Amino acid sequence: MRTSRNSNDRAQLQVSPEVGTWLARRSSRADDWTAEQLVDAKRGTTVSVVIPARDEEATVGAIVTAIREELHEHHRLVDEILVVDSHSTDATAEVAAAAGARVVAQDAVFPALDGLAGKGEALWKGVAATTGDLVVFVDGDLYDFTTDYVTGLLGPLLTDPSVAYVKGFYHRPLNGAAGSEPEGGGRVTELVARPLINMFWPELSGFVQPLAGEYAGRREVLESIPFVVNYGVEIGHLIDLLELRGLDSLAQVDLGHRVHRHQSTQALGRMSGQIMQTLFDRLERYGRLVTAIPPATMLAQFQRGASSGGVERELVLTDLTSPQRPPLASLPVTLRPENELDLQDTA
């Protein structure tokens, strides 16, 4: 392990013994298991794959087809493929259905509730709309998807009952006009999430990509934690599960390579703000930081456009408030319209 040191070179920097031990015990590779081996290990366990998708008609069909043909029809490893259509304006739903997925509109799950916008909302609704004992999440914008993503995430869960939740990691190139930077992806992880994790939850510093969109968990575990409705959902999961179940219940798997659609710098700024809001919420919840004034939730950004207050830019304001859906296990069996429930966790 390579370490960085300060100029006087007096500090020996190293991860804690707990993290070092965890890295050795709970890190694996997708090719450590074959689909055949996992089918043998399944022994009646059911598996659902949830794909949140918004305007992903170009990629979602190939993802669904690969999972259906190889892992559902050929190997009988996956029992259910669900695409949650998150307010798409293109043919995402039609393409996914034609490829063999069951498709649900995000707002059609728990229709008695006011719909909330965001990736985490789609994931929460996806868990609610499926029945598998294990739930695998796969993003719908992957250009180079292989079924190793699914088998890799299922490996630790099907072969080790002490593992509750598995995160994927991969090489993420950043492709742009100047060429490709082999490890340039994951900018929000490196610039925002990782420094904050190391400051406040160093127990999680061993995760290569804590914000990865590919992960899997046991249903009872996923139903026991809240879901932040926006991009704070992944960091919220890791922190909550660390606090509630301990580091050794978490694992990570190298899924190889990932190419997906990159977002603009301003979009990444909004994503970063949501992640920071979630992390500060967890600092307060778990008593790790007390602040006299809570963080502001309004993000001001500038873009080319009409002048604002003497500045030759257009001022754009985004509310980064990060509402949460409560643990699914806490919901009543039936949501009665005559007794409306406030399921937005604002505690």
Side-chain angles (χ1 to χ4, degrees):
M1 177 183 64
R2 185 176 64 185
T3 61
S4 298
R5 304 187 180 190
N6 59 18
S7 58
N8 59 22
D9 201 26
R10 289 181 296 184
Q12 284 287 336
L13 302 179
Q14 59 185 10
V15 297
S16 72
E18 180 187 21
V19 173
T21 300
W22 178 84
L23 275 168
R25 293 187 63 250
R26 292 306 198 203
S27 300
S28 51
R29 295 175 54 87
D31 58 9
D32 288 345
W33 305 274
T34 65
E36 292 86 351
Q37 290 171 326
L38 294 180
V39 170
D40 290 340
K42 195 178 174 190
R43 298 178 182 176
T45 302
T46 54
V47 175
S48 299
V49 175
V50 172
I51 304 171
R54 180 175 185 177
D55 295 335
E56 306 296 356
E57 65 178 7
T59 51
V60 71
I63 295 170
V64 170
T65 298
I67 298 171
R68 175 181 55 79
E69 291 182 348
E70 187 169 345
L71 300 182
H72 176 65
E73 296 175 349
H74 181 63
H75 288 295
R76 303 293 180 185
L77 178 62
V78 170
D79 302 283
E80 183 178 25
I81 307 169
L82 177 75
V83 170
V84 182
D85 182 23
S86 185
H87 307 138
S88 294
T89 58
D90 65 2
T92 290
E94 293 81 0
V95 170
R102 181 165 68 91
V103 180
V104 297
Q106 182 172 302
D107 293 342
V109 183
F110 294 132
L113 303 178
D114 290 336
L116 298 175
K119 179 186 179 182
E121 172 86 341
L123 298 176
W124 188 75
K125 297 286 185 67
V127 176
T130 53
T131 60
D133 302 314
L134 305 179
V135 181
V136 181
F137 299 104
V138 176
D139 279 347
D141 64 347
L142 303 177
Y143 292 114
D144 57 351
F145 174 82
T146 73
T147 56
D148 287 349
Y149 279 36
V150 177
T151 55
L153 293 169
L154 287 173
L157 293 167
L158 286 171
T159 59
D160 188 341
S162 68
V163 174
Y165 185 94
V166 181
K167 249 331 207 186
F169 68 94
Y170 19 62
H171 295 291
R172 293 186 64 187
L174 177 62
N175 300 316
S180 179
E181 185 179 346
E183 298 296 337
R187 290 165 287 172
V188 174
T189 293
E190 298 304 326
L191 297 175
V192 178
R194 193 179 308 286
L196 288 171
I197 284 173
N198 278 267
M199 288 170 65
F200 297 111
W201 275 279
E203 306 97 313
L204 296 173
S205 62
F207 279 94
V208 178
Q209 274 153 351
L211 304 183
E214 283 65 49
Y215 47 97
R218 302 188 187 279
R219 174 166 296 276
E220 68 271 18
V221 173
L222 294 170
E223 292 188 350
S224 73
I225 56 175
F227 277 54
V228 179
V229 303
N230 54 37
Y231 284 113
V233 61
E234 279 92 13
I235 194 68
H237 280 184
L238 285 184
I239 293 171
D240 288 341
L241 290 173
L242 174 70
E243 294 284 350
L244 297 174
R245 293 178 177 265
L247 181 61
D248 206 48
S249 70
L250 309 175
Q252 64 180 347
V253 174
D254 186 347
L255 301 180
H257 191 79
R258 186 187 198 273
V259 177
H260 68 120
R261 175 168 44 84
H262 294 295
Q263 299 197 51
S264 69
T265 301
Q266 288 208 335
L268 294 180
R270 294 187 289 273
M271 182 189 302
S272 299
Q274 293 170 353
I275 290 164
M276 294 172 73
Q277 289 284 340
T278 300
L279 190 138
F280 274 85
D281 171 80
R282 294 313 193 264
L283 286 170
E284 182 180 20
R285 285 177 181 237
Y286 295 116
R288 296 208 175 197
L289 184 68
V290 177
T291 59
I293 301 175
T297 61
M298 197 63 67
L299 175 67
Q301 295 177 304
F302 291 90
Q303 63 184 24
R304 288 183 178 272
S307 298
S308 297
V311 178
E312 293 183 359
R313 297 288 187 276
E314 180 183 357
L315 175 63
V316 179
L317 298 177
T318 303
D319 187 358
L320 300 178
T321 300
S322 298
Q324 301 178 76
R325 293 299 194 183
L328 282 164
S330 70
L331 302 188
V333 176
T334 303
L335 297 177
R336 292 182 288 275
E338 67 273 14
N339 183 26
E340 279 198 317
L341 299 175
D342 181 9
L343 295 181
Q344 180 174 310
D345 178 6
T346 57

